[in-house]
Structure formats: C-alpha cells, structure tokens
C-alpha cells in the first residue's frame, strides 16, 4: 500500500512519520493512537476523513478507530482554540473547588465549558482525572 494514495492530504513529513510508525509495530492496529495524533496535526483536530484514513492504514474498521478517538479526551474531534484549558472535575478536584476554578476560567476566557472563545484564543473543557490529584484542583493548559 502506498501511503500517498491513502493519505494524500497529509504533509510529506507526516506521511514519513506514518510510514515509520507502521514499520515500528508488528501489528499495524497498534499504531492507531499515534496515527490519530498525526491525523489531527493535519487539520488541528480529527476529521471523519482522517479517522477513515487511519482505519485503512491499520486494517481496522472506521468504527474501531472512532471508538478510540472518542474514548480518549486528548483526541479533539472539533476545532479548538490556540489554548486548550482542561479542568479536572474528578472527585478529588471537585472536593477541592474545581467548580469554582471552572467558573473563573469560563468568565475570564469568555468561553463556557465545551466551547471556544469568539476570537479562537481559548477552548474550555472539563475532563476526568489528569493525574494530579495531590495538587487538586488540577488544570492543564
């Protein structure tokens, strides 16, 4: 399979990265996650076409690729602003005031949870645990 036929809209450097990724994994399906990252680099987020291309490259169904992309919050399926502000709302962070932090971020960024500011500078989202429970409430930029 020629990668350029499957991913003609990807940049040459990302096509090369995809080729190397596919060679690095004995089972092509294991490259789904890093290939999703590359697909998102091409448009700033994952598109239906990008996910279909990853499916073809790895030999899995488009539904399987979409299930991975929708499970992990790091894969954005919509455009996000220049800065993505992720506020953890898991129990540790919630108990330590994550709701107040989220409200302050929404007010200052002029972007309610799940949206992007009009000037496309900030996108705000709540996420589950980002692994910083000891310093709760946690925010990732």
């Amino acid at each position: 399979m020629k990668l350029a036929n499957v991913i003609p809209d990807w940049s040459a450097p990302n096509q090369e990265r995809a080729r190397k990724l596919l060679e690095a994994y004995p089972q092509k399906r294991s490259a789904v996650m890093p290939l999703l990252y590359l697909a998102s680099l091409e448009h700033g987020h994952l598109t239906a076409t990008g996910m279909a291309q990853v499916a073809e490259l790895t030999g899995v169904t488009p539904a399987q690729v979409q299930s991975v992309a929708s499970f992990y919050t790091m894969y954005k399926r919509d455009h996000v602003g220049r800065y993505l502000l992720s506020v953890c709302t898991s129990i540790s962070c919630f108990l330590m005031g994550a709701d107040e932090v989220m409200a302050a971020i929404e007010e200052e960024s002029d972007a309610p949870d799940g949206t992007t500011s009009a000037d496309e500078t900030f996108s705000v989202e709540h996420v589950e645990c980002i692994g910083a429970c000891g310093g709760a409430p946690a925010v990732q930029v």
Side-chain angles (χ1 to χ4, degrees):
M1 156 183 29
K2 283 199 64 119
L3 291 183
N5 293 339
V6 177
I7 49 177
D9 58 333
W10 289 23
S11 66
N14 281 341
Q15 286 188 24
E16 179 62 16
R17 287 173 76 183
R19 185 189 63 74
K20 287 180 179 178
L21 280 167
L22 289 166
E23 288 176 356
Y25 291 96
Q27 294 183 8
K28 289 181 182 179
R29 71 180 299 128
S30 299
V32 166
M33 292 180 70
L35 287 172
L36 282 173
Y37 173 73
L38 288 180
S40 70
L41 289 178
E42 292 299 325
H43 302 287
H45 64 282
L46 279 175
T47 62
T49 300
M51 288 186 279
Q53 291 167 329
V54 169
E56 187 170 344
L57 289 171
T58 58
V60 301
T61 68
Q64 289 171 306
V65 171
Q66 188 173 0
S67 71
V68 172
S70 63
F71 179 80
Y72 292 100
T73 59
M74 64 193 161
Y75 298 117
K76 304 303 175 203
R77 289 170 286 140
D78 294 309
H79 175 74
V80 295
R82 179 178 172 124
Y83 301 103
L84 176 62
L85 308 170
S86 303
V87 180
C88 177
T89 55
S90 292
I91 190 69
S92 295
C93 290
F94 175 78
L95 292 173
M96 296 303 291
D99 285 351
E100 292 86 7
V101 171
M102 176 65 90
I105 288 173
E106 289 174 326
E107 184 176 327
E108 288 296 320
S109 67
D110 198 28
D113 179 26
T115 68
T116 299
S117 61
D119 64 2
E120 297 192 352
T121 301
F122 300 105
S123 292
V124 177
E125 67 178 358
H126 79 274
V127 295
E128 290 302 314
C129 187
I130 55 178
C133 303
V139 176
Q140 180 174 291
V141 179

